[in-house]
Amino acid sequence: MPALDGIRVLELAGLAPGPFAGMMLADNGASVIRVDRVKPPHQPSPDVLSRNKSSIQIDLKSSGGKDLFLRLVKQADVLIDPFRPGVLENLGLDPTYTLLKLNPRLIVAQLTGFRRDGKYAKMAGHDINYLAVSGVLSMLGPSLHVPPDGRPLPPTPPGNILGDFAAGGHMCVTGIVMALFARCQTGKGQVVHANMVDGVNYLATMPRVSTKIPGQWDRPRGENLSDGGCPYYNVYECKDDGKYMAVAGLEPQFFQQLVKGLELSDQPWVPKRDDRVVWPIIQDAFRRKFRERTRKEWEDIFDGSDACATPVFTHAELEASHYEQRPGVTLTGTPSINIGVRSGWDVEILGFGEGGEHALSSWMGWKKGRDYEIANRGLQMKKESKL
C-alpha cells in the first residue's frame, strides 16, 4: 500500500509547480482530482504532470459550481492552490475563514512564485524571475568576458528545474507532508504557504553561506570550486564532437585516480592542484587530453574507479537504452506507484473531465444525472440535491 493511500487531494489547475506537487502526491497513492476551469487560460505548454490523476471542470464563479466544489472540500484532505495571493479570497473561498471552517482537517497548500508580501506579491512571474529576486540567479553560469566590449556573460537560467520544481512543487509537498503529520498529532488541518523565492533561498543555504568562506564560493560566478571555476570539477568535450565527460575529483584521493586515468600523474602541477595559479594550466591539459579519446573510450577507462569521472548522457540516449525512470525515493514498506516502462518518457495528457466521473463516485458516491450535472461545460450540483 502506498504511503498516501486514502489521502484525497483537490488540485486547482495551474502551471508546472502545482501539477508537479499533485503528481508527487498521486505517485505515492493519493487520490488527486485536478479541478480545471471551464475556460482554461492560455498556457505555454501542456500539463504533462498528470500521471495518476483525474479531472473535473468547475466554474467556481457560478453558485452551482461553487456548491459542488465546497462539498468536495468537506471530504478532501488537501487543496493545492497555485494562484496569486487574493484569488481564492475573491472567489469567496478564503482558506482560513471559509474552507477550514467547513473542514477543520483540511490542509490548504498555497503555492506562489514571489513571497505573499512585499512589492512583487501580486506581480506575474516565472521561474527566472523568482530566482532573480532571490539572489540565486546571480550565482549561476560562467562569467567569461566576451567580445566586443569585454563584458562578462550574464547569469544563466537553469531551465525551470530549480525554481518551479525543486523550490516550488517539491517544497510545497514537503509542507503538505509536514502538515499531514501535524494533523496526526492535533487532529487539525492548516494553511501551508510555499513560495519559490523562499524555497530556492532555502535550497541555496550552503552556497550562500559559503560565499563567506575563502576558497569555497567567495569569487564571481563561474570561478568557484563547484560552479565551473575549478578544472577538476568541470565538463570536457571528448574526441567525438558533442560528447562530454563530467569530472569531480575534488578530494585528493579522487584527484589521484582522475589524473592516473588521464595519464597525467607525472605533471608538475599535480601536487599544486589547490593553487589557483595553476588552474588554467590544469584545465588546458584536461581539455586537450579528453579530446584524444571518444566518450566510450573514457567510459571504459573510468568505469568502476573512484576518479569521479562519468559520461554526460542526454535524455534521448537514456530513453534509447531503455533506462527505467523510477520514483524519486523508495519506501520499502509503503512503496510509490510504479511509474512504468514508458510513463517517464512519453507525453501523457489528462483531458478535461477525464476520469472525473469515476473519481466523484469513489469520493462521494455521486452519479452523473442523479447528484450532479454539466452546465456550460462545468459541473454543478443538481438543484434538488441537498447538502
Side-chain angles (χ1 to χ4, degrees):
M1 180 181 71
L4 299 180
D5 185 66
I7 297 296
R8 295 174 172 180
V9 180
L10 291 171
E11 174 198 317
L12 296 172
L15 293 173
F20 184 66
M23 188 187 75
M24 286 187 67
L25 298 175
D27 281 348
N28 286 281
S31 174
V32 179
I33 298 178
R34 189 182 73 192
V35 181
D36 288 302
R37 303 184 205 184
V38 172
K39 296 180 180 178
H42 168 74
Q43 294 193 166
S45 59
D47 178 11
V48 298
L49 303 171
S50 56
R51 189 168 55 228
N52 299 318
K53 301 179 188 178
S54 303
S55 164
I56 59 175
Q57 286 184 280
I58 301 179
D59 182 0
L60 292 176
K61 295 181 180 180
S62 71
S63 59
K66 186 180 295 184
D67 181 21
L68 184 144
F69 178 73
L70 289 174
R71 293 176 191 232
L72 292 175
V73 165
K74 287 188 70 173
Q75 301 300 319
D77 296 286
V78 178
L79 171 66
I80 298 175
D81 166 25
F83 303 140
R84 293 189 225 180
V87 171
L88 276 191
E89 291 80 356
N90 291 337
L91 290 169
L93 300 171
D94 184 281
T96 301
Y97 299 106
T98 301
L99 303 181
L100 284 173
K101 289 286 179 64
L102 185 65
N103 179 0
R105 291 176 56 81
L106 180 69
I107 292 155
V108 182
Q110 298 192 285
L111 174 57
T112 59
F114 297 114
R115 288 178 168 179
R116 301 184 69 83
D117 57 359
K119 66 177 182 178
Y120 302 113
K122 295 189 176 181
M123 289 173 54
H126 281 294
D127 182 291
I128 190 174
N129 305 117
Y130 314 136
L131 298 187
V133 302
S134 75
V136 174
L137 183 59
S138 70
M139 306 175 75
L140 305 177
S143 56
L144 299 174
H145 292 252
V146 297
D149 54 3
R151 301 294 302 163
L153 293 171
T156 303
N160 65 331
I161 298 171
L162 185 54
D164 279 349
F165 301 116
H170 201 295
M171 279 289 188
C172 184
V173 169
T174 301
I176 289 170
V177 172
M178 288 192 290
L180 285 170
F181 182 81
R183 193 178 72 175
C184 293
Q185 316 301 316
T186 66
K188 296 181 180 180
Q190 59 183 296
V191 179
V192 174
H193 285 157
N195 72 80
M196 284 169 253
V197 173
D198 289 333
V200 75
N201 260 321
Y202 194 84
L203 292 170
T205 298
M206 190 279 286
R208 183 179 64 252
V209 174
S210 294
T211 61
K212 299 180 180 180
I213 301 175
Q216 290 292 314
W217 215 300
D218 59 334
R219 298 197 174 218
R221 56 185 162 78
E223 298 181 15
N224 297 285
L225 197 64
S226 59
D227 67 353
C230 177
Y232 40 92
Y233 194 98
N234 219 314
V235 179
Y236 294 93
E237 189 173 29
C238 303
K239 184 177 182 179
D240 37 354
D241 297 346
K243 303 291 185 181
Y244 305 92
M245 290 289 290
V247 300
L250 291 178
E251 292 80 1
Q253 67 272 26
F254 300 154
F255 182 77
Q256 291 299 326
Q257 291 293 309
L258 176 61
V259 293
K260 178 182 177 182
L262 291 170
E263 299 177 343
L264 293 172
S265 299
D266 60 346
Q267 295 301 302
W269 41 258
V270 168
K272 304 176 183 178
R273 69 169 198 136
D274 293 326
D275 186 351
R276 286 176 179 263
V277 172
V278 301
W279 278 12
I281 301 172
I282 298 175
Q283 186 171 51
D284 183 62
F286 280 15
R287 184 183 296 114
R288 286 186 285 105
K289 180 59 72 170
F290 273 108
R291 287 293 284 172
E292 292 179 3
R293 300 177 189 265
T294 66
R295 190 184 69 183
K296 179 61 172 64
E297 290 174 318
W298 287 121
E299 283 185 71
D300 292 340
I301 289 171
F302 288 116
D303 276 0
S305 78
D306 280 348
C308 298
T310 53
V312 178
F313 292 127
T314 66
H315 282 136
E317 288 177 306
L318 291 174
E319 183 177 9
S321 70
H322 305 291
Y323 181 87
E324 179 189 8
Q325 296 291 346
R326 298 176 180 175
V329 295
T330 300
L331 282 69
T332 59
T334 55
S336 303
I337 297 173
N338 189 359
I339 292 176
V341 177
R342 296 302 314 165
S343 185
W345 296 111
D346 291 344
V347 174
E348 298 179 2
I349 304 296
L350 181 66
F352 297 133
E354 184 178 342
E357 189 171 345
H358 175 76
L360 293 179
S361 175
S362 175
W363 277 39
M364 312 294 290
W366 288 348
K367 185 176 180 180
K368 186 169 67 174
R370 183 189 69 191
D371 302 287
Y372 64 94
E373 59 190 359
I374 300 176
N376 298 320
R377 293 167 49 193
L379 300 187
Q380 60 182 28
M381 299 307 300
K382 290 274 286 188
K383 288 185 170 56
E384 61 268 28
S385 297
K386 297 185 182 298
L387 188 64

